[in-house]
Every structure is written in C-alpha cells, then in structure tokens.
Amino acid sequence: MNYITWFLDHDQKHRSIVDRLKQDGLSSEQIMDYFEFSNMLAKEPDFCLLYAEGKKCHSIAYLNCYMCACPFFRFNDEGVRDAEDILVKSQCAIHSTKSDRFVYQGVAHLDCSRCTVPHTRTFIKNNFNEAWHEMMKNCAPPEPDAHAHDVVSAAR
C-alpha cells in the first residue's frame, strides 16, 4: 500500500468514528478521550493494523490515537533521490532528533517510533480538528498524482 492510499483510507475511518461520536452527543474533549489506545483497541479493532496484535506504535504509557499520524510527517509516493541515490519517500518536516529512517530495497522511509509528539493529549488538544485531513493537510505532496488528487478532492 502506498502512502496516499493509506492517508485517504485512514481519513475515512477517522471521519466515520468522529461522525458517530458526534451523533452520540460527545464533546470534543470526550471524542479525544475516546481515541485513547486501550479504548480504541477494545471498541475500534479495525482502526489500526497494530490493534490486531495488541501492539502500540510507540512504547509509552499513555497513547492517544486521535491524530494517529503526525502533522510533521511528509510523504511523496514518487520519492526523491538523495545524495546517496536512495529513494526517499517520507521524512520529518521538523527534523526531530527522535526520528530516524529505515531503508528497504533502496527506498527510505521515516521511522517515528521514538517520537511521541502527536500522541499526547496536550498536542492533540492544541491541534484539534474534527476533520483529520485538515490536521494532516501538509503531509501529502502539494500536487499528488492526478488519480490521488481526484480521490483527495472527492473525499472532502
């Protein structure tokens, strides 16, 4: 699965849950709390692939899955060659010292597993938007390929 496909699919899953919670009368604070890892693991097992294994994406006591991805994550499914001729498909916009990259078959991907920025309640509260794609609007390339662009437009 490429990044844009995951991005669009995740937006739909997030939107579905938030819409349902709003219909149930939950406040923004309650919606944020609902996305706490143990609650999501129990009530929304299809939200994350790691839930099937009972795993967290980050080894921290409190993990909130509201943002899931990080607004500083940048991806480009086409990739850009770096000085070492490695195709880089994702990177950290703030160059966090806790981020790393892994290279698989000549393609570099961002490894955010040591960074907890988007999973704290404070960060989520400060960046809260019911529309996940609005919080993540800078993640995708400015001009995704034509098909992805059509899908992004249709999703909004």
Side-chain angles (χ1 to χ4, degrees):
M1 175 184 308
N2 59 20
Y3 285 112
I4 194 69
T5 300
W6 178 88
F7 188 83
L8 296 171
D9 288 349
H10 187 78
D11 182 46
Q12 292 297 317
K13 285 195 262 184
H14 192 277
R15 183 181 316 172
S16 175
I17 293 169
V18 170
D19 286 350
R20 188 181 74 242
L21 297 175
K22 283 174 47 182
Q23 286 179 344
D24 289 347
L26 272 67
S27 68
S28 296
E29 296 276 331
Q30 291 169 315
I31 290 171
M32 280 186 274
D33 290 341
Y34 183 89
F35 278 81
E36 190 275 325
F37 173 79
S38 60
N39 187 61
M40 291 292 287
L41 183 64
K43 295 182 180 173
E44 307 289 345
D46 296 330
F47 185 72
C48 175
L49 294 173
L50 294 176
Y51 291 177
E53 301 172 36
K55 287 185 175 182
K56 291 181 175 181
C57 55
H58 301 274
S59 294
I60 54 179
Y62 175 82
L63 177 68
N64 190 299
C65 304
Y66 188 80
M67 292 185 96
C68 180
C70 178
F72 303 122
F73 185 84
R74 300 293 182 266
F75 69 85
N76 181 340
D77 285 323
E78 299 300 315
V80 176
R81 295 266 172 209
D82 70 5
E84 299 164 350
D85 201 33
I86 294 172
L87 189 63
V88 179
K89 291 198 173 188
S90 57
Q91 56 191 336
C92 178
I94 61 171
H95 309 290
S96 170
T97 57
K98 293 185 178 184
S99 70
D100 202 357
R101 77 178 193 177
F102 67 93
V103 178
Y104 179 72
Q105 296 181 342
V107 178
H109 300 277
L110 183 61
D111 175 0
C112 307
S113 60
R114 293 184 315 134
C115 184
T116 61
V117 167
H119 299 295
T120 66
R121 195 168 197 298
T122 301
F123 188 84
I124 294 165
K125 189 173 183 177
N126 290 338
N127 294 278
F128 184 80
N129 192 313
E130 289 177 359
W132 183 82
H133 66 267
E134 282 299 315
M135 293 184 299
M136 303 298 157
K137 64 185 173 192
N138 294 321
C139 294
E143 295 182 26
D145 66 45
H147 172 71
H149 181 69
D150 293 341
V151 176
V152 170
S153 297
R156 293 184 179 152

